[in-house]
Amino acid sequence: MVNTKVSLCGVELTNPVVPASGTFGFGYEFNDIYDINILGAISIKGTTKEARFGNALPRIAECTSGLINSIGLQNPGIDAVIEKEIPRLRQVYRKPIISNISGFSIEEYVECCEKINKVDDVDIIEVNISCPNVHNGGMSFGTLPENAEAVTKAVKKVTTKPVFIKLTPNVTDIVSIAKACEQGGADGISLINTSQGMRVDLKTRKPVIANKIGGFSGRAIFPIAMKMVYQVYEAVKLPIMGIGGVATAEDVIEMMMAGATAVQVGAENLVNPYACKDIIEALPNVMEKYKINDLNEIIGVAHK
Amino acid sequence: MKQGFFTVQANVKLTDSVYKMVLLGDTSAIERPGQFVNIKLDGLFLRRPISVCDYEEGKLTIIYKVVGVGTEKMSKMIGGEKLDILTGLGNGYFTDFSGDKPLLVGGGVGVPPLYHLAKCLIKEGKNPTVVIGFNTISEIFGKEDFEKLGVKVLVATVDGSFGIKGFVTDAIAQVEDYSYVYTCGPEPMLKAVYNATTTSGEYSFEERMGCGFGACMGCSCKTKYANKRICKDGPVLVKEEIIW
């Protein structure tokens, strides 16, 4: 028997496979097609202070080995998530819940994190700092080390649960951002969020997506995510949740070798609703194939 | 929702750009007319959502229009290909509220989902009237299939090359009495039907989707009561909830 158990800041996961925020709703609807208790954890839909409808449609564009999305953080707001969505997930799901928080100002992050920190059913808070800062000309919090550190510090002040900061790859130096989060007191790093992208429709001669640009994800970004997980693992001492283009058990193992303790599966859920289940079921066999008895042995092994 | 592999049994060209594909596989997840399937195609990342025209145990029929690379690939299939398909997606039409004389209105590739609906309504002893609209005579398909079911079919063409000259609403004006409306087609047509009809009804919408099963929020729309995902909470909305 191989060991697939990993630990994120004391939160035990029976395996490292976690559906990524925004690709799995609030989880419970997937329980209609398979028992979601096989998952390592679930990162639920990104939540903001107020309910948001999100961006204009179309919000989706096909790409080679991936897609561009510009959903615009559609969600029912933090209060509805706490009162309705998390309890509804808890009715069918016993494993760890990762609550993903977004904000457009430091005050919003703080308010949401303070609220979610009081929810017993939430095990880890994942703070998405890819959002534009409304007080700073719309520049993303995650693109400057000082802003990333400021959000981290502010959120850490009001929370007791482990806080993972989710980083955008659309930066000149991911390492400096990750270090700033560590400096700010982060308990872990999730990376990467989507890479910016765009498509134009040849017939209409206009951008496919109403918002013109969006976030590119899917298998195509796996090497980009790999590189960033690898770099950040060298630079910080925090556990990493690797995200980006993961579609197979082999991808999970590869990303763990680069330095991830757990691995999130995103876009693949949208084309194969059973993606996480398929990966989890394949994992022990793939581990045996590569002579891995315990996944903890391979975290960051590519650096040695 | 169910994922399964289907074998292409036939793929027939109906008009210049519209094809009818018959697929063999497990259809047990399809619950009612107006639902759709989501088809994985080699070399493409996202699945392609296509409405169900007809189904029975072990057999699925879809009618699709070539509009992009996905449907183009489908149009070249010759039979025998195996396709990974998610079935039983969307809410579909409910026949409970139809009354005795439901009116079915389809435009272009909005026509196919009305076929199995007509079958269900007839089976329930109801007397549907079908109105279908196209741009021109060469684009017409499905007329004989409905007629074989024994329902009255009115055809409208925009250029007047066949049937009633004008839009589906011009044909609806000739229908004396109806109890409920079921419709599917391009959004401007749906809106015209909404304004031209007096009864309640069910309107099937089309939207660019990511997943097709409610996970990504790519196809959300606003209704009078809540935000809805066209793929999961739709594609059928009842008239009273539509914001127009």
Side-chain angles (χ1 to χ4, degrees), chain A residues 119-138:
Chain A
V119 179
D120 287 341
D121 283 326
V122 171
D123 298 276
I124 291 173
I125 302 170
E126 183 176 63
V127 180
N128 169 18
I129 60 166
S130 310
C131 318
N133 180 352
V134 291
H135 299 311
N136 189 19

Side-chain angles (χ1 to χ4, degrees), chain A residues 162-228:
Chain A
V163 171
F164 277 64
I165 307 294
K166 183 168 175 178
L167 304 187
T168 168
N170 306 306
V171 295
T172 49
D173 178 20
I174 195 79
V175 167
S176 63
I177 309 285
K179 279 184 170 168
C181 295
E182 185 176 45
Q183 188 67 32
D187 300 291
I189 302 288
S190 295
L191 83 167
I192 57 175
N193 207 320
T194 54
S195 182
Q196 285 182 332
M198 182 184 177
R199 295 300 304 272
V200 168
D201 185 318
L202 300 187
K203 283 185 199 153
T204 63
R205 304 182 173 196
K206 290 193 165 62
V208 173
I209 285 185
N211 206 33
K212 299 181 181 70
I213 59 166
F216 181 37
S217 64
R219 290 181 174 211
I221 69 162
F222 181 71
I224 301 171
M226 278 294 296
K227 172 231 164 200
M228 291 193 171

